[in-house]
Amino acid sequence: FKYDASNPNLDPEPIHGMGNYHDIWDDEHVRMACSPLHLTNDRTPRWPIIQSALAELKQKCDEKIATVNDIKIAIDKSNGTNFEIGSLQQVLNQDYSDDQRAYFMSFTLPKMVSFALEVGNICSQPPPLLNIKTNRTVTMSQRQAASLLACGFFCIFPHQFNRKIDNKYHSYQSFNFNHLFRRGSACQPEKLKCILHYFKRVSEDMPKGVFSFRRFSLPDEWIPKWKESQAPLCKIHIRTDRSIEEMHGLLQVDFANEYIGGGVMREGITQEEIRFTVCPEMLISILVCEVMLSHECILLIGCEQFTTYSGYADTFKFKDNFIDTTPKESWGRKLCHVVAMDAIEFKDPATQYTFENMRRELIKAYTCFRIPKSMEKCMFGVATGNWGCGAFNGDLQLKAIIQLMAASEVGRPLVYITWHDQTLLESFWIVYDYLANQQATVKDLCIYLQLYSMNHKQSGLFDYILNVPVSSLREAYK
Ligand code: APR
């Protein structure tokens, strides 16, 4: 693992390869399962216990006598706990055919045990953390990722650090899979099928690429002066019929939680969780990324997709194997750039119309769209859509205008996916066309937002804009 702390504009340096494990146990690195400082409650080292529990499981797999209950025994012995694993049992004992189960128990599972047991050799030092306010990139091989994910599967990561920042404790989400294994919502077994399919694929043929996570903090002096900006509207392409992940060659937006990954390790299954489930290497961002602040984002570069899915939320289902043919850059990363962009969760939707909240969302979108130029050889377009308007209760029209402003300020074209919402497609196009015909600028849109924050009860934002010509707006705000 390597990060470029000194110069955030450099491409990442080559990663650490295999070697003797060098432990680091501080608040700048992931606490590893194999660390000598990972202790039981009576303060004996936990790694030898884990090694023996997993070796027993592997032995049974090799003898072809392992059962699903043996996975539970190994996890419980490793942790000194008694986890309920109803969803995992459902997948392996009920949903899988006899052949699928036999293949998993005798081929995939022992490989997963080896991935976990080899973590200290494959990851010769703990991955650095992408803490708040750092501009760091962590790069790792897909082989390293498989080891870390296997450790998550066997629930052997110790608790990570909880840091106190600005008088608030910011924790890392748990990367252990025990919540996902529990009996719960119908999506959990489906998510597990995707992840088990990932392990099947990598244990049959380990991919040789690398991927990176980059944290980007927008410096204060880069925050645009919205009320003075003469930037023209960017070009836009609006469509209903495709998903963001199908928009190859664009910067794809992850409708994120401030804790990246959101509920993927629990019951959540909307846009972010689905993306992380079909591209399981993205899950590792949960392990290395601290909570995002309002002027921060995390870029996920080069993660591979392994499965397809059908449905959404309650109807989500694992569908099939997916061969990701995205080309690679010279560094070995797939040319797939995803940016985690967390909206405000509006428990009371009325609060989104304060100008302060609008400004926060503008800065967040601007931060995500304005990635340091060195990262991208050219400013390709952004694929986004109903950001913050599902689980987080945002107003579709307001979020559309905010993202239009941010993309225009950065100077990138937008591909806007309305996700089967034909009405939004048509109404957004009418407003965009109306504004573009009058050569509206980001400053004009900022004034609309300011006025709308006081008049939002009268009408929707699009109608509000259509009723106030840009020329009269400019006249009033000379
Ligand atoms: N492509 C394009 N648009 C999509 C896709 C997709 N693959 N999936 C969903 N959408 C649209 C839908 O219209 C959805 O209602 O985006 C909307 C918002 O999606 P959400 O995931 O609900 O996003 P948000 O409201 O920002 O909530 C974020 O949910 O997934 C968790 O961890 C995430 O806690 C965070 C919260």
Side-chain angles (χ1 to χ4, degrees), residues 242-245 254-264 268-274 309 312 341-345 384-394 396 417-419:
R242 302 295 289 271
S243 60
I244 289 174
E245 61 271 26
D254 158 25
F255 302 152
N257 190 285
E258 60 181 335
Y259 289 94
I260 195 166
V264 66
I269 190 72
T270 57
Q271 193 245 13
E272 172 163 59
E273 290 95 347
I274 292 175
Y309 68 95
Y312 184 75
M341 176 158 109
D342 56 305
I344 304 178
E345 180 179 3
T384 186
N386 303 339
W387 171 52
C389 298
F392 279 2
N393 295 321
L396 287 165
I417 313 268
T418 65
W419 194 248

Side-chain angles (χ1 to χ4, degrees), residues 105-259:
M105 299 304 286
S106 56
F107 185 78
T108 312
L109 185 60
K111 288 272 174 75
M112 289 167 66
V113 170
S114 303
F115 294 160
L117 289 176
E118 287 165 10
V119 69
N121 301 329
I122 300 298
C123 306
S124 54
Q125 67 179 46
L129 294 172
L130 300 187
N131 284 335
I132 283 175
K133 296 179 187 166
T134 53
N135 278 310
R136 282 180 181 168
T137 303
V138 177
T139 297
M140 67 184 75
S141 65
Q142 290 183 286
R143 175 68 189 85
Q144 289 176 315
S147 270
L148 295 171
L149 282 161
C151 291
F153 180 88
F154 293 111
C155 309
I156 55 178
F157 275 104
H159 282 297
Q160 303 300 320
F161 277 96
N162 291 346
R163 300 197 313 145
K164 196 173 181 187
I165 293 151
D166 299 338
N167 281 328
K168 201 176 151 196
Y169 274 103
H170 293 287
S171 53
Y172 283 84
Q173 294 207 73
S174 170
F175 187 65
N176 291 333
F177 284 36
N178 48 303
H179 290 287
L180 200 53
F181 289 160
R182 280 205 299 236
R183 192 168 293 109
S185 74
C187 73
Q188 283 168 242
E190 297 302 319
K191 285 201 263 190
L192 284 172
K193 283 178 210 170
C194 294
I195 293 168
L196 295 184
H197 182 77
Y198 157 81
F199 280 120
K200 175 174 183 287
R201 281 274 305 276
V202 297
S203 55
E204 286 167 353
D205 184 14
M206 181 58 72
K208 300 198 172 45
V210 297
F211 62 89
S212 304
F213 302 135
R214 165 182 272 247
R215 190 178 190 106
F216 172 57
S217 260
L218 188 78
D220 283 350
E221 59 276 18
W222 288 14
I223 296 177
K225 296 190 169 46
W226 304 102
K227 290 177 193 164
E228 295 166 22
S229 170
Q230 293 302 328
L233 298 193
C234 64
K235 294 221 164 23
I236 191 164
H237 175 63
I238 313 175
R239 55 192 304 171
T240 57
D241 56 331
R242 302 295 289 271
S243 60
I244 289 174
E245 61 271 26
E246 291 172 299
M247 296 292 115
H248 302 292
L250 302 179
L251 174 65
Q252 302 173 352
V253 177
D254 158 25
F255 302 152
N257 190 285
E258 60 181 335
Y259 289 94

Side-chain angles (χ1 to χ4, degrees), residues 301-472:
I301 307 159
C303 295
E304 182 167 345
Q305 182 176 344
F306 288 87
T307 55
T308 55
Y309 68 95
S310 65
Y312 184 75
D314 294 345
T315 60
F316 172 83
K317 292 253 178 312
F318 161 78
K319 194 168 165 196
D320 213 342
N321 183 40
F322 181 77
I323 304 294
D324 188 338
T325 54
T326 312
K328 288 182 179 169
E329 28 98 308
S330 57
W331 235 73
R333 295 182 303 196
K334 286 195 173 287
L335 284 164
C336 167
H337 289 192
V338 175
V339 64
M341 176 158 109
D342 56 305
I344 304 178
E345 180 179 3
F346 293 111
K347 297 226 162 62
D348 172 6
T351 56
Q352 69 190 296
Y353 303 106
T354 64
F355 193 68
E356 192 192 336
N357 280 338
M358 293 180 189
R359 191 168 179 277
R360 185 277 181 198
E361 300 295 67
L362 268 172
I363 292 173
K364 173 63 72 169
Y366 180 80
T367 305
C368 295
F369 299 167
R370 191 199 193 297
I371 292 143
K373 294 210 173 60
S374 65
M375 274 214 49
E376 298 167 328
K377 305 295 172 238
C378 61
M379 295 282 263
F380 47 78
V382 178
T384 186
N386 303 339
W387 171 52
C389 298
F392 279 2
N393 295 321
D395 174 327
L396 287 165
Q397 300 187 0
L398 178 57
K399 279 292 199 293
I401 296 295
I402 285 174
Q403 293 184 87
L404 175 63
M405 287 172 71
S408 302
E409 185 64 26
V410 174
R412 303 177 81 140
L414 264 190
V415 174
Y416 208 88
I417 313 268
T418 65
W419 194 248
H420 318 297
D421 185 339
Q422 186 65 25
T423 315
L424 178 63
L425 178 144
E426 284 163 17
S427 55
F428 191 16
W429 180 252
I430 291 169
V431 174
Y432 175 83
D433 197 41
Y434 171 82
L435 291 166
N437 279 335
Q438 298 175 81
Q439 276 101 41
T441 61
V442 167
K443 174 184 172 183
D444 298 325
L445 288 179
C446 184
I447 298 171
Y448 276 123
L449 289 192
Q450 261 188 316
L451 292 173
Y452 190 65
S453 71
M454 294 172 285
N455 297 296
H456 62 90
K457 290 192 180 137
Q458 289 171 13
S459 67
L461 177 58
F462 289 173
D463 279 342
Y464 187 80
I465 292 174
L466 293 172
N467 284 326
V468 183
V470 174
S471 53
S472 67

